[in-house]
Amino acid sequence: MADSLSLPIAPIATKYDHSSLLSRNSAFSSRLLPSKCFSSGKNKLNLSSLGQYSFHSLHHRVAPIRALDSDVPHPLHKGSVDFKSKKSYEQWDSLTSTFSGAANIPFLLLQLPQIILNARNLLAGNKTALLAVPWLGMLTGLLGNLSLLSYFAKKKEKEAAVVQTLGVLSTYVVISQLAMAEAMPLPHFMATSVVVGSGLILNLLNYYNILNRRIWQIWEDFITVGGLSVLPQIMWSTFVPYIPNSILPGAIAFILAVAAVTMAHTGKLSEKGVKFVGAISGWTATLLFMWMPVSQMWTNFLNPDNIKGLSAISMLLAMTGNGLMIPRALFIRDFMWFTGSTWGTVSYGYANIVCLY
């Protein structure tokens, strides 16, 4: 909802052939391997002990990934998971990937009814009906999808990246319909189209490692500043008119975001500070999606009659889609992904269903 660490030992060690290890410098080998891996002969490897060491000693369990480390590329996380065999690891890898990919089905169905309804109203010439769809809210969701797409594309999580791409495309279709109905200003739609097109192309190129690093950095800075500016403004606007209507939260956040990105590039921040700035885009996107059910439940509380306009099926689809992503987030130990998916399952799905009940 976004860099490199040292590679875990276990996946590398299991790839080495024992014969190649025998030809290594003996002093180097003795520093890397425990003494039980050598027989009584000087610097002579005990292959059976080495095999046992590779499977039991090198495969170690580590602590969960910290919040600031959630944006580390995908292969590094999986290497730290404790599996007794390569087959077991591959089975869980395949199973959790299947669950994550299956989330495309409920998320596709989630937006499809709105697209069909808008199309019918447009064909019937009933453009005023589309005014009920808030284009600003759709734009916020689109920005969140783009940010998370960049996050998952960087981690090489194909299934999750496809889910976010689907979210970008389906939301863009709705925004296009709003623009056709003149429910969204044309200049805003044109700017949105440029951002969406650029984001999809850049993420595709970056996924296949054919994008210039500098260009990708500029894109990451853009979504970092954009996400951090939108989040506090949306949170503030939720409680209007109980609090004054103001753009001050978004303006302050924009200034802070620009300052943070500038300091990160000019070496004014510590290593931890640079890592924090790099994780902002993914976390702000996740928090945007986490705030959506809060906003919905607040609206339900203020105007209970509006609950009749909510679809229980849509809530159930949202709960299912997010729930299918939780196993994958746990498998690769992605704290950010796990937090967003769990919150979406419990709050956006189940809590709103309780409100309907």
Side-chain angles (χ1 to χ4, degrees), residues 115-131:
I115 294 175
I116 295 175
L117 180 61
N118 291 345
R120 288 176 177 174
N121 287 322
L122 284 173
L123 292 174
N126 186 18
K127 294 183 178 180
T128 56
L130 275 74
L131 294 174

Side-chain angles (χ1 to χ4, degrees), residues 59-62 77-83 89 331-333:
H59 284 278
H60 57 284
R61 192 178 298 275
V62 298
H77 288 266
K78 297 194 301 181
S80 66
V81 182
D82 184 21
F83 285 98
Y89 168 82
F331 178 73
I332 67 171
R333 300 187 178 190

Side-chain angles (χ1 to χ4, degrees), residues 68-89:
L68 294 183
D69 294 331
S70 289
D71 61 335
V72 178
H74 149 84
L76 304 185
H77 288 266
K78 297 194 301 181
S80 66
V81 182
D82 184 21
F83 285 98
K84 296 186 181 300
S85 69
K86 182 180 179 182
K87 183 179 180 181
S88 176
Y89 168 82

